[in-house]
Amino acid sequence: MKHKELFSLLDNIQEDQEVPTLNRHDKVLLIDGLNLFFRNFAMMNMINPDGIHIGGLGGFFRSLGAMIRQTQPTSVYIVFDGAGSTVNRKNLISDYKGTRNLQRITNWEAFESLEEEHDSKIDQIVRIIQYLKLLPVKTTILDKVEADDIISVLSTRLVEKYNSTVFIVSSDKDFVQLVTDKIILYRPMEKEYYTPKVVEEKFGVLTENFILYKTLLGDSSDNIPGVKGLGAKGIFKKFPELKEKELTLEDIFDISVRKFKDHVVYSRIVQDRSRIENSYKVMDLSVPLIDDRGKEYLEDLIEEDIPELNSEMFIQFYNEDKLGGMIRNLETWIKDIFTQFKGYKK
């Protein structure tokens, strides 16, 4: 669903209701920080006058400003993967994200080696977090926890506790499983908002069953194999129920047992039950891999006041990093995008 279509629909809903004073929990923007950074780092080959690559840094804030303008949120959270964030999932699948270590240089024109590019990524990410501390947005990182899990907890709790409308910004398909009438996924590469209707149109599956769809097909980006012989088209011939009603993983196993002799795919599912159960646990964001202490921290984060805006220091950082024209009319940009958050009630 494109921007104009979605927000026209939301506006029509609001027009049918008495418009209340906006609360800071009413419309929340949750951004997958590393996903936003890496997309800009790869696409924006910008160098400052000192010869330092600044594409990821400057592009990150341009994209952040664009998303705030589009969605007009009442609060913003930027979420990053913590140190050792893949440990919990690697305990279930040892090769989880194993192929991501096979790196190559993204920007040959800017860097002479993989190590030099890696150092630049780290420097820019650290600097981004320093900038974010000057803005009225909440930035969060938890050791040994992936951003996916944090975003899952935040989005679910915001809807449960405050009936928030939540926008998740990420190109990661893992978040499709979280989509509901109150949780909308924006995928920047497609410039499209995913609602339950869009999920059905795109994948032919009920949103509630997307995790089963993904478990059976696997995820090459995370190095998680699917069921051999089962593809995006064939899956609905074997399991038409995925289009019709909400299923559980146990339902998939029961169907496969009943049809064990009908096709080799069913027998493979029965025989690979343990591996498929592990894949499901790794991909299932309805049970995020985060301990009680982490969940308590996120509950407290939701209740905290929106941080103060420090325009002067932000501008000082911007000039120190010689970002130049990456953001036009910087002072006006800061005022137009970030001063609005001060007016939202608790």
Side-chain angles (χ1 to χ4, degrees), residues 37-63 106-111 116-117 120-121 124 318 321-328:
F37 168 75
F38 285 126
R39 187 164 50 85
N40 279 286
F41 184 90
M43 293 174 64
M44 301 194 70
N45 195 16
M46 305 290 289
I47 308 294
N48 74 6
D50 294 332
I52 298 172
H53 188 278
I54 53 171
L57 173 59
F60 181 95
F61 287 101
R62 279 173 45 160
S63 295
T106 304
N107 292 308
W108 285 99
E109 295 179 8
F111 305 103
E116 184 182 339
E117 184 179 70
S120 178
K121 288 176 181 177
Q124 290 185 63
Y318 186 94
D321 292 329
K322 299 180 181 179
L323 298 185
M326 291 207 72
I327 298 175
R328 295 180 181 177

Side-chain angles (χ1 to χ4, degrees), residues 280-299:
Y280 183 87
K281 289 176 185 176
V282 164
M283 292 193 274
D284 183 18
L285 293 180
S286 70
V287 185
L289 299 181
I290 179 170
D291 61 22
D292 290 341
R293 184 186 298 178
K295 291 177 182 177
E296 288 174 11
Y297 165 79
L298 295 176
E299 288 279 355

Side-chain angles (χ1 to χ4, degrees), residues 176-191:
V176 172
Q177 63 186 283
L178 296 179
V179 169
T180 67
D181 290 335
K182 299 295 292 182
I183 301 175
I184 298 162
L185 171 64
Y186 179 73
R187 301 192 70 215
M189 297 297 286
E190 299 176 22
K191 294 183 169 59

Side-chain angles (χ1 to χ4, degrees), residues 79-247:
V79 183
F80 291 93
D81 292 330
S85 60
T86 61
V87 168
N88 291 325
R89 285 180 168 84
K90 282 186 174 179
N91 287 335
L92 293 168
I93 298 179
S94 59
D95 289 334
Y96 176 67
K97 290 190 176 180
T99 55
R100 296 196 184 184
N101 291 325
L102 304 175
Q103 299 178 354
R104 59 182 176 82
I105 293 180
T106 304
N107 292 308
W108 285 99
E109 295 179 8
F111 305 103
E112 295 183 358
S113 68
L114 189 61
E115 182 180 2
E116 184 182 339
E117 184 179 70
H118 176 74
D119 290 344
S120 178
K121 288 176 181 177
I122 298 299
D123 290 343
Q124 290 185 63
I125 291 168
V126 170
R127 192 60 165 163
I128 282 170
I129 293 172
Q130 292 172 346
Y131 275 82
L132 288 172
K133 290 179 179 179
L134 306 174
L135 297 176
V137 303
K138 296 181 180 181
T139 305
T140 183
I141 306 170
L142 288 174
D143 285 347
K144 296 184 180 180
V145 180
E146 292 192 59
D148 302 36
D149 297 299
I150 296 174
I151 289 172
S152 173
V153 172
L154 288 173
S155 59
T156 302
R157 288 300 294 141
L158 283 160
V159 172
E160 289 175 349
K161 195 168 185 179
Y162 293 104
N163 196 33
S164 305
T165 297
V166 177
F167 293 89
I168 297 172
V169 179
S170 179
S171 297
D172 191 340
K173 283 185 183 177
D174 289 343
F175 292 115
V176 172
Q177 63 186 283
L178 296 179
V179 169
T180 67
D181 290 335
K182 299 295 292 182
I183 301 175
I184 298 162
L185 171 64
Y186 179 73
R187 301 192 70 215
M189 297 297 286
E190 299 176 22
K191 294 183 169 59
E192 188 154 16
Y193 292 87
Y194 278 58
T195 61
K197 180 181 176 183
V198 172
V199 173
E200 289 186 46
E201 291 172 352
K202 290 275 187 182
F203 302 102
V205 64
L206 295 177
T207 308
E208 297 85 352
N209 291 333
F210 184 79
I211 179 61
L212 297 173
Y213 172 90
K214 200 159 184 277
T215 299
L216 293 172
L217 295 183
D219 186 344
S220 58
S221 66
D222 286 340
N223 203 31
I224 300 174
V227 177
K228 187 178 179 181
L230 197 60
K233 293 183 179 179
I235 191 171
F236 297 115
K237 294 179 181 178
K238 304 296 184 298
F239 300 99
E241 300 89 346
L242 290 169
K243 292 184 172 185
E244 300 162 358
K245 60 183 179 180
E246 184 174 353
L247 300 176

Side-chain angles (χ1 to χ4, degrees), residues 15-56:
E15 285 175 5
D16 293 337
Q17 304 171 352
E18 183 178 345
V19 180
T21 303
L22 285 174
N23 182 293
R24 65 186 170 93
H25 301 299
D26 286 346
K27 191 191 291 185
V28 181
L29 184 62
L30 300 180
I31 295 179
D32 181 349
L34 284 184
N35 187 274
L36 186 66
F37 168 75
F38 285 126
R39 187 164 50 85
N40 279 286
F41 184 90
M43 293 174 64
M44 301 194 70
N45 195 16
M46 305 290 289
I47 308 294
N48 74 6
D50 294 332
I52 298 172
H53 188 278
I54 53 171

